[in-house]
């Protein structure tokens, strides 16, 4: 009798071991299967919205500073023009003109140069950020310009005459209505901004070359007038682009809120 009980006990133990083995094989990871971590890393990450607030404030500060520096430069250039007219009338020599205006040019020119450099960096970073968010809203397949090229086209000769404008239009449309970009119109601010941008660069290049080559009173007068004109164009340019910066940033925050509300439903 005891022997029968022992046999039954050994059978129960064997069955229990069999069950354990089955469970262990079932839960054991396939050694030939691609590891989960590798599979997860192979899946491309979904682009996420990036907060443009700090860069928006930085761009605003740069645009306001640039407009103020242009106003200061216009005041200095106007004084130069008066002195040059005096030199043209024979009341002073060109060397006397340089002696009287050198300090003024340094006090205005160096800060203006610093503002230009900082503005190129920070506004370029803002353009990259809003172009990134535009791709998040509309999807990369619906966008023709990457965030990098939205900035990079500014530095490509000839193509920088129209490509940056197209990129900004795309950012505007994707920020305003990403689901119907082709049917979304852009504000008249954009073509006005681009016309002012082209005019400012053309006149500014002419002013710089004229001033560099100037070796007579008449040439200096031309350079002073060109400088006044370039800075006079830059002031509305900064103000119009300031409107664009504010509007695009506001539209992108609205799109983010709409996406969060849709996910919360």
């Amino acid at each position: 009798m005891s022997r029968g009980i022992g046999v039954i006990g050994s059978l129960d133990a064997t069955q229990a071991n069999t069950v354990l083995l089955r469970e262990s094989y079932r839960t054991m990871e396939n050694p030939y299967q691609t590891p989960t971590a590798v599979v997860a890393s192979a899946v491309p990450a979904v682009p996420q919205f990036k907060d443009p607030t700090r860069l928006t404030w930085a761009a605003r500060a740069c645009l306001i500073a640039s407009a103020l520096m242009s106003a200061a430069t216009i005041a200095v250039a106007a004084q130069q023009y008066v002195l040059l007219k005096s030199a043209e009338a024979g009341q002073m020599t060109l060397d006397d003109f340089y002696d009287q205006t050198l300090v003024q040019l340094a006090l205005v020119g160096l800060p203006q140069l610093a503002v230009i450099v900082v503005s190129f960096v920070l506004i370029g970073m803002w353009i990259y950020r809003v172009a990134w968010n535009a791709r998040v809203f509309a999807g990369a397949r619906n966008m023709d310009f990457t965030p990098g090229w939205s900035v990079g086209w500014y530095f490509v000769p000839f193509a920088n005459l129209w490509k940056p404008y197209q990129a900004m239009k795309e950012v505007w449309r994707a920020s305003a209505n990403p689901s119907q970009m082709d049917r979304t119109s852009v504000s008249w601010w954009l073509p006005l901004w681009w016309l002012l941008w082209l005019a400012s660069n053309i006149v500014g290049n002419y002013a710089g070359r004229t001033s560099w080559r100037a070796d007579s009173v008449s040439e200096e007068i031309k350079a002073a007038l060109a400088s006044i004109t370039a800075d006079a164009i830059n002031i509305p340019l900064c103000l119009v682009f300031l409107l664009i910066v504010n509007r695009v940033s506001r539209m992108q925050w609205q799109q983010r809120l709409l996406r969060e509300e849709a996910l919360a439903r």
Side-chain angles (χ1 to χ4, degrees):
M1 186 71 174
S2 62
R3 183 177 179 182
I5 295 174
V7 172
I8 295 173
S10 63
L11 288 175
D12 291 340
T14 303
Q15 291 176 352
N17 291 333
T18 303
V19 172
L20 290 175
L21 286 173
R22 287 178 181 175
E23 290 296 326
S24 63
Y25 278 118
R26 184 180 302 172
T27 58
M28 184 177 65
E29 185 179 11
N30 184 358
Y32 300 101
Q33 182 181 0
T34 304
T36 306
V38 176
V39 174
S41 63
V43 177
V46 178
Q48 299 296 324
F49 177 86
K50 294 184 178 181
D51 187 356
T53 302
R54 291 185 179 180
L55 289 175
T56 298
W57 280 106
R60 289 170 180 166
C62 289
L63 292 169
I64 294 172
S66 180
L68 292 175
M69 289 306 306
S70 289
T73 304
I74 289 174
V76 172
Q79 293 179 355
Q80 288 182 332
Y81 179 78
V82 173
L83 293 174
L84 286 168
K85 280 296 184 179
S86 299
E88 190 178 37
Q91 298 177 4
M92 68 169 57
T93 64
L94 195 58
D95 291 335
D96 293 335
F97 164 76
Y98 291 145
D99 292 338
Q100 292 187 27
T101 59
L102 183 61
V103 176
Q104 292 179 341
L105 286 174
L107 291 176
V108 175
L110 292 179
Q112 188 177 37
L113 178 61
V115 168
I116 291 173
V117 173
V118 173
S119 297
F120 263 100
V121 174
L122 293 180
I123 294 177
M125 293 173 65
W126 177 84
I127 293 173
Y128 185 95
R129 177 64 55 86
V130 295
W132 173 280
N133 290 336
R135 289 171 72 87
V136 172
F137 299 142
R141 294 182 179 179
N142 299 320
M143 304 287 288
D144 294 328
F145 296 92
T146 63
W149 277 112
S150 296
V151 178
W153 282 120
Y154 283 90
F155 304 97
V156 180
F158 300 109
N160 58 8
L161 297 176
W162 74 90
K163 285 291 187 180
Y165 174 65
Q166 291 178 338
M168 185 58 66
K169 284 201 305 181
E170 190 175 69
V171 168
W172 180 286
R173 288 171 174 158
S175 302
N177 193 351
S179 61
Q180 295 181 343
M181 287 180 56
D182 295 337
R183 300 180 182 179
T184 303
S185 60
V186 298
S187 172
W188 58 270
W189 298 344
L190 268 73
L192 177 60
W193 156 67
W194 194 245
L195 287 175
L196 291 171
W197 168 264
L198 294 177
S200 176
N201 279 274
I202 292 171
V203 178
N205 287 333
Y206 172 78
R209 293 179 181 180
T210 304
S211 178
W212 183 261
R213 296 194 305 261
D215 55 359
S216 64
V217 174
S218 61
E219 290 294 324
E220 288 289 357
I221 290 175
K222 290 181 181 179
L225 290 174
S227 177
I228 292 172
T229 304
D231 284 295
I233 296 173
N234 187 61
I235 293 175
L237 168 63
C238 292
L239 297 178
V240 172
F241 195 64
L242 180 61
L243 294 174
I244 295 173
V245 168
N246 291 334
R247 184 65 175 276
V248 170
S249 299
R250 190 181 307 118
M251 289 190 299
Q252 293 203 342
W253 274 111
Q254 291 173 350
Q255 289 297 329
R256 184 191 181 186
L257 292 176
L258 290 174
R259 288 166 63 92
E260 290 180 349
E261 291 176 358
L263 291 175
R265 293 174 184 175

